[in-house]
Amino acid sequence: MKKFLFIVAAGIMAAVGCTNNQPAEKACCQEGKNPVIENIMARRSVRAYKEQAVPRELMEQVLECGINAPNAMNAQQWEVRVVESKAWIDKATEAYKQSVKGTPAEKMVTDPSFKNMFRNAPAVIFIGCKSGKYTPVDCGLMAENMMLAAQSLGLGTVCMGSPIAFLTQPAGAEFLSSLSFSEGYEPLICIGIGYADEAPAAKPRNKDVIKYIE
């Protein structure tokens, strides 16, 4: 009986988590694997994307997972803005390119692989919050929820801070205004999202930072 229930559960997990253009051999679909851990370990920061747009139903799932992240006192002092407009992204990118002339960042924008300032992603999720001791932590938890949800749906993501710095400069003021964050809210981080056009290898992690206190 237990074996039967396990097989049924594995089948449901495969149907829910491993569709939407995911490779057939994805680890979360293999019997006996923990899909949450496999998803965490498979996530990468993607900087090359296909031009294919993210379907709205998948974006909605990613965003809903974001707002279900834990946050201090459940105050939910965050706001999310989604930009899917290529015209908006291209216009912001052109302004960004002008603003970095003569700086080290100019090397990136002149690279032949450079398409836009959001690491070439076709859509961007902006996360903003009120000023507070824990609100940046809350936003980080939200971002991680979104990135892991995206990974499970066959999408790639990259978390960025440099576009936020641009938005707070005079050259980016018009784009910040267009995001229409509520009064008292400031953009903190953004996530590029789309269908990955690369498969980066995992980078080493230092396990020595983990210590058990006896």
Side-chain angles (χ1 to χ4, degrees), residues 84-96:
E84 300 172 309
S85 166
K86 186 177 186 301
W88 192 101
I89 290 173
D90 288 347
K91 187 176 180 181
T93 297
E94 189 55 40
Y96 175 74

Side-chain angles (χ1 to χ4, degrees), residues 14 32 52 69 82 85 95 128 160-161 188 193 212:
Q52 181 181 356
V82 183
S85 166
M160 300 169 284
L188 181 69
I193 182 169
Y212 290 90

